[in-house]
Amino acid sequence: MRGFSAPIVRALAALCVAFAVPAAAQEAEPRWSIAIHGGAGTIARENMTPEQDAAYRAALQQALDAGKAVLAGGGVALDAVEAVITRLEDDEKFNAGRGAVFTWDGTHELDSSIMDGRTREAGAVAGVTGIRHPILLARKVMTDSPHVMLAGDGAEAFAAEQGLELMPPEWFDTEARREALERMKVEKLSALDVDIKFGTVGAVALDSHGDMAAGTSTGGMTGKRWGRIGDAPVIGAGTYADNRSCAISATGWGEYFIRVGVAQEICTRLRLERFIDATLAADRIPTLVSPDHADLPDMPMQRLADGTTQDIADDVMDEVKALGGDGGIILVTPEGHALFSFNTSGMYRGRATSDGVNEVAIYSDE
């Protein structure tokens, strides 16, 4: 085509191909995916009875089903994340809400966070007591306050103003958690010695509208003191969501996840990978920005392979391990991949997609 530069010729050719494809073929079937976790750590088959194994799998499946129902019905990712986590917060098998570990002083201090991948709005709470569902409080911080994180007494006062459900201290108690604290004190052990796993719970979701969300909730580490806060309520460390790259929830030794900035680090690397792939493909890859996302910077969008995403997540978790930290993450991408990465012997986890995937697992060889 004389008179036109090569880039313009390629762009026109791409447009011709696009318009030649029937409209039905251009419109992909709406996809959704979800991944959940209930903690990672030293979880071995020989330490689990068949009854315990079955109970954990059933609890994970029930929580996964709650999230699936939201997404399959056309609901939004934030609601799916909330549906999963509220159920896990009520289940004493997990270290979040009821069943949270005891602090050194014999109380419960709860942390939680949630993030909207469409707008990158976020809410978090740290060191709260008596809140039945910390994840609901975190979402209220995001939607009904000008802040991102509230802590302690102030967060509890805000919860009361919002009418969230409160429970007495004993409602959160379990004998297994109390025994762990007592053994820690008597035998002068660390939290890592008495906790079989890092019990943080979390969920990440991609809805059929193309939006993502992530949420995390935890009771922290057994015997924690001085108002210790881990990664769960820290946006960018334990929780992150960005429609341009991924949604992530983490579980593990929080101090290391904070130092690496695990959740945002993985999402940022995925964005960079997309940018590099799009750049290498020259100008044949258009810049896609939905009107709903007009407030977000333009970014060339390129589909990433499942393997590429897994490699990036594994690389970041290797960094955590190199520093001395343990744990894992769950992740969903705009393509609908639902993935896990962990450097421990097990992680309570599950995932489901609109393509028919539905599974829960515990051990690293599953």
Side-chain angles (χ1 to χ4, degrees):
M1 298 178 66
R2 184 174 299 174
F4 291 95
S5 66
I8 291 177
V9 171
R10 287 197 296 269
L12 289 173
L15 285 172
C16 290
V17 171
F19 282 113
V21 178
Q26 293 182 46
E27 296 178 4
E29 187 74 19
R31 303 182 67 186
W32 57 260
S33 63
I34 187 169
I36 72 173
H37 71 76
T42 306
I43 308 170
R45 281 188 176 84
E46 57 268 25
N47 296 328
M48 297 270 283
T49 67
E51 293 76 17
Q52 289 173 324
D53 182 291
Y56 273 105
R57 291 179 191 273
L60 290 168
Q61 188 63 62
Q62 289 168 7
L64 185 62
D65 288 344
K68 281 172 51 183
V70 172
L71 298 174
V76 300
L78 283 167
D79 289 343
V81 165
E82 181 181 292
V84 169
I85 294 178
T86 52
R87 279 161 178 77
L88 295 176
E89 286 175 334
D90 275 347
D91 193 323
E92 65 181 39
K93 287 187 287 298
F94 302 99
N95 174 22
R98 190 178 196 186
V101 299
F102 284 91
T103 68
W104 185 264
D105 296 323
T107 62
H108 305 282
E109 295 177 356
L110 312 174
D111 308 326
S112 189
S113 63
I114 194 166
M115 188 166 182
D116 183 344
R118 184 177 69 85
T119 62
R120 283 181 289 168
E121 293 178 318
V125 294
V128 299
T129 62
I131 310 298
R132 179 174 180 175
H133 292 300
I135 192 66
L136 299 185
L137 179 54
R139 189 168 181 180
K140 282 291 186 181
V141 172
M142 178 177 73
T143 59
D144 290 54
S145 87
H147 308 299
V148 170
M149 182 183 287
L150 299 179
D153 294 342
E156 292 165 19
F158 179 72
E161 289 181 10
Q162 296 298 314
L164 294 183
E165 187 174 5
L166 306 179
M167 300 300 286
E170 58 271 18
W171 187 84
F172 299 89
D173 296 352
T174 62
E175 285 306 310
R177 302 299 189 189
R178 190 183 301 278
E179 187 276 334
L181 176 65
E182 292 173 353
R183 186 157 57 90
M184 177 183 187
K185 289 184 174 182
V186 170
E187 301 179 25
K188 294 184 170 59
L189 301 173
S190 73
L192 302 180
D193 293 319
V194 298
D195 288 336
I196 296 176
K197 63 181 178 61
F198 303 106
T200 302
V201 306
V204 293
L206 166 73
D207 63 35
S208 58
H209 313 287
D211 296 322
M212 290 187 285
T216 312
S217 187
T218 189
M221 301 183 81
T222 298
K224 61 183 180 179
R225 305 171 76 176
W226 311 299
R228 179 264 184 189
I229 296 169
D231 66 303
V234 179
I235 302 301
T239 302
Y240 201 75
D242 185 342
N243 278 8
R244 299 171 298 176
S245 53
C246 68
I248 287 184
S249 174
T251 173
W253 196 340
E255 281 72 9
Y256 292 93
F257 281 72
I258 293 171
R259 289 165 59 186
V260 175
V262 167
Q264 189 173 23
E265 177 72 8
I266 293 173
C267 286
T268 298
R269 292 193 191 189
L270 287 172
R271 281 187 64 204
L272 179 59
E273 188 73 23
R274 292 175 188 279
F275 180 81
I276 292 171
D277 285 354
T279 300
L280 292 176
D283 57 347
R284 288 180 292 175
I285 302 297
T287 297
L288 303 179
V289 179
S290 160
D292 291 340
H293 307 162
D295 58 323
L296 301 180
D298 289 0
M299 171 60 66
M301 293 295 290
Q302 174 83 336
R303 294 178 65 86
L304 291 186
D306 192 338
T308 302
T309 304
Q310 186 71 61
D311 289 344
I312 289 173
D314 290 346
D315 285 346
V316 174
M317 287 307 303
D318 285 345
E319 287 190 24
V320 173
K321 186 174 183 179
L323 292 177
D326 292 339
I329 62 97
I330 54 175
L331 175 155
V332 294
T333 70
E335 294 81 22
H337 303 316
L339 306 174
F340 313 104
S341 180
F342 54 99
N343 58 23
T344 56
S345 61
M347 181 167 75
Y348 297 112
R349 61 199 188 275
R351 62 182 171 183
T353 72
S354 54
D355 293 333
V357 173
N358 183 96
E359 60 186 22
V360 295
I362 299 177
Y363 314 110
S364 60
D365 59 359
E366 294 184 85

